[in-house]
Amino acid sequence: MESIESILLKEVFELAASSKDLNSLLTLASGAVAARLGLDKVLFDKIDSNRNQISQFQEYIINTLKPYVDNKLSRYSAFPELINYFNSGYKSGVVLPIVAESRPILILTALSKQEDKFNDELVQVISEIAQVFGYVFVSHSEHERNLQLAAFFDATFNSPFPQILLKNNGKLIKANKAFLELVGKTQKEIYDQHISNFLNLTQQDLDNLANGKELEIKFNESVLSISGNAAGSNLIHATIKDATQQKQLESVLTAINTAEKEAFLLLDESGKIRWASTNIKSVVGSDVDLEGKTLADLSDDLSFPLCNTFPCE
């Protein structure tokens, strides 16, 4: 005959496969464990990575990493939570941490309205079920997070800018149409390929992108600006923009502002000067009142010819 433990584990796996989200999984698993083991109440409390909003009792459970059994709950129990359970009609309980991937992720509380309910055998069964459930919970969490990420990237990948989703080690997972057109590949051809096969990015560059830093790289005859951020613990989302024209403009403006013989003027539709490069004074050799002047006025004032190209020929 199949043991209660085996039946319960099978039910937990079935619940994990059918549950739509983590909260419903926890609720259904609580009911299944309570029903199969003859308990009056079972609770699962999630522990976030920063251990925010946990009680002193929960901190104690996490630090000891052992089941805490109180088979005679009373108003004199060691922690406020246990006293509250007694005041709610429960006579015994066990509280234990659920650990997966070397970190506590849940706290399981099992309660009974009978004293001395939690003998060593029952505590062992609950502990073994909790251990397996921890990995079920992590797997379900990862699945739910991936669904959320997929929905997010399906929306953001409609951007006209090239975008990619890749692992921290550089292996590509997904790219939008703009990126595929940029590198001349299909989605199938880029999947699980290293990004360095398409763009000149090193592991240090990937680490910088995960930390939110912006990079500039050469691509054929273009300059690409790449911004990124971490998407979870092991993924990077990056957006790529063509910065070629911007870099060319920056180069021109630098040349203009440092030129010894040419200055740059911006005119409005009527031909009046609205802006001048910072080197105007050094070029003309004196302070010039530009406000409201036209090119003809400036040429007359300075007594030398002006040109409308850069550099002047």
Side-chain angles (χ1 to χ4, degrees), residues 149-168:
L149 279 175
F152 169 75
F153 288 117
D154 281 344
T156 60
F157 271 31
N158 289 325
S159 166
F161 298 111
Q163 297 197 39
I164 52 176
L165 179 65
L166 64 164
K167 297 178 182 177
N168 286 348

Side-chain angles (χ1 to χ4, degrees), residues 38-69:
L39 304 174
D40 292 295
K41 190 168 189 176
V42 173
L43 302 169
F44 289 99
D45 292 311
K46 289 184 283 187
I47 305 170
D48 66 32
S49 57
N50 297 319
R51 298 191 184 183
N52 292 325
Q53 297 180 339
I54 64 173
S55 68
Q56 184 179 359
F57 181 42
Q58 291 175 323
E59 187 74 40
Y60 174 81
I61 296 296
I62 293 170
N63 290 337
T64 60
L65 292 178
K66 295 179 180 179
Y68 184 95
V69 180

Side-chain angles (χ1 to χ4, degrees), residues 6 14 18 40 79 98-99 114 175 187 191 221 228 230 248 303 309:
S6 297
E14 290 174 352
S18 61
D40 292 295
F79 294 94
I98 299 179
V99 178
Q114 302 175 24
Q187 194 76 246
Y191 178 74
E221 300 299 320
Q248 290 174 343
S303 299
T309 61

Side-chain angles (χ1 to χ4, degrees), residues 161-164 179 182 199 224-227 238-242:
F161 298 111
Q163 297 197 39
I164 52 176
F179 179 83
L182 177 70
L199 301 177
L224 301 181
S225 173
I226 308 177
S227 58
T239 301
I240 303 166
K241 297 181 181 180
D242 190 337

Side-chain angles (χ1 to χ4, degrees), residues 214-234:
E214 190 169 325
L215 308 174
E216 283 187 358
I217 64 169
K218 289 288 187 68
F219 180 76
N220 297 332
E221 300 299 320
S222 302
V223 178
L224 301 181
S225 173
I226 308 177
S227 58
N229 57 273
S233 60
N234 61 349

Side-chain angles (χ1 to χ4, degrees), residues 128-173:
E128 291 175 359
I129 291 171
Q131 183 178 1
V132 175
F133 183 74
Y135 288 95
V136 172
F137 179 81
V138 168
S139 176
H140 203 286
S141 299
E142 188 69 17
H143 176 67
E144 185 175 278
R145 189 178 67 83
N146 286 340
L147 289 177
Q148 293 171 345
L149 279 175
F152 169 75
F153 288 117
D154 281 344
T156 60
F157 271 31
N158 289 325
S159 166
F161 298 111
Q163 297 197 39
I164 52 176
L165 179 65
L166 64 164
K167 297 178 182 177
N168 286 348
N169 63 7
K171 294 293 186 71
L172 284 160
I173 297 175

